[in-house]
Amino acid sequence: MNKSSRLKGLALALALIAPLATGTSARPSRRPHAARSGQAAAAKIEGFLRQAGYDYSKTGDNTWLINNQGRKPWYVLVATGSDFVVVGVVVAPKKNINRSTDFMFKLLRLEHSTDYAKIGLDDDEDLFVRWELKTRLLDLQDFKSCVNSIVTASDTVYGEIKPFLSAP
């Protein structure tokens, strides 16, 4: 699988996982206003991406990838639902993680010490860092701050778990 296909798969996985994490249904609502609010959320985030000047690509109706540079180059995944946005990074794929009790303890400590971000293993057992926000309350400044915070948190998490990673 090439890098582009892998990234699109990760964006799709994020879009599917996000509703579960926020307690909403992963199935489309039959209510017309839910579809409209989902379209409005996607349009709002697309506008923020353009206004912020990010180098990004659209990977689906409600998903984007931002090419962002941190200590390590990260693809920031962005996905919207009917009234929320999820911004996240896959810090390490499952195949590169050497799991142990020490690794899991390190993740728990990082989860505790990292404000606002969720840190964990997704359904593919890849290590992620993500934020979930209500789009209704979000403005451009908050969105940019969230993206910057995710990159910073991803850099921090990567630095802390690097001893538990094998070479890519």
Side-chain angles (χ1 to χ4, degrees):
M1 181 182 296
N2 67 30
K3 189 174 188 173
S4 176
S5 296
R6 174 89 172 132
L7 292 173
K8 286 179 183 178
L10 292 172
L12 179 59
L14 179 65
L16 295 174
I17 292 168
L20 300 174
T22 59
T24 60
S25 173
R27 281 187 254 164
S29 172
R30 292 196 170 108
R31 298 173 298 180
H33 75 278
R36 281 192 304 274
S37 65
Q39 292 168 348
K44 184 176 188 176
I45 298 304
E46 180 104 34
F48 288 165
L49 290 163
R50 274 194 308 275
Q51 291 171 18
Y54 291 126
D55 174 18
Y56 73 94
S57 59
K58 189 169 179 116
T59 58
D61 289 341
N62 301 331
T63 58
W64 303 264
L65 285 174
I66 301 171
N67 182 10
N68 202 318
Q69 300 296 318
R71 225 185 297 165
K72 181 177 191 236
W74 299 115
Y75 284 98
V76 179
L77 310 168
V78 180
T80 61
S82 60
D83 63 348
F84 65 91
V85 61
V86 176
V87 179
V89 167
V90 174
V91 175
K94 173 185 177 178
K95 68 181 182 178
N96 294 355
I97 301 171
N98 299 315
R99 281 184 219 117
S100 66
T101 305
D102 290 339
F103 170 74
M104 296 306 221
F105 183 74
K106 176 63 82 175
L107 286 185
L108 286 172
R109 298 287 301 176
L110 286 166
E111 173 64 25
H112 171 71
S113 65
T114 306
D115 294 334
Y116 305 109
K118 287 187 177 181
I119 300 168
L121 301 173
D122 64 17
D123 289 341
D124 294 328
E125 298 182 25
D126 297 330
L127 177 63
F128 69 82
V129 176
R130 75 171 183 245
W131 277 21
E132 300 158 4
L133 304 152
K134 293 285 189 183
T135 53
R136 179 178 59 82
L137 306 173
L138 197 60
D139 63 18
L140 177 60
Q141 181 180 345
D142 291 335
F143 180 72
K144 288 168 58 175
S145 176
C146 176
V147 171
N148 289 336
S149 295
I150 282 298
V151 170
T152 299
S154 298
D155 285 343
T156 299
V157 168
Y158 180 79
E160 291 288 323
I161 60 110
K162 196 171 180 179
F164 301 98
L165 299 178
S166 59

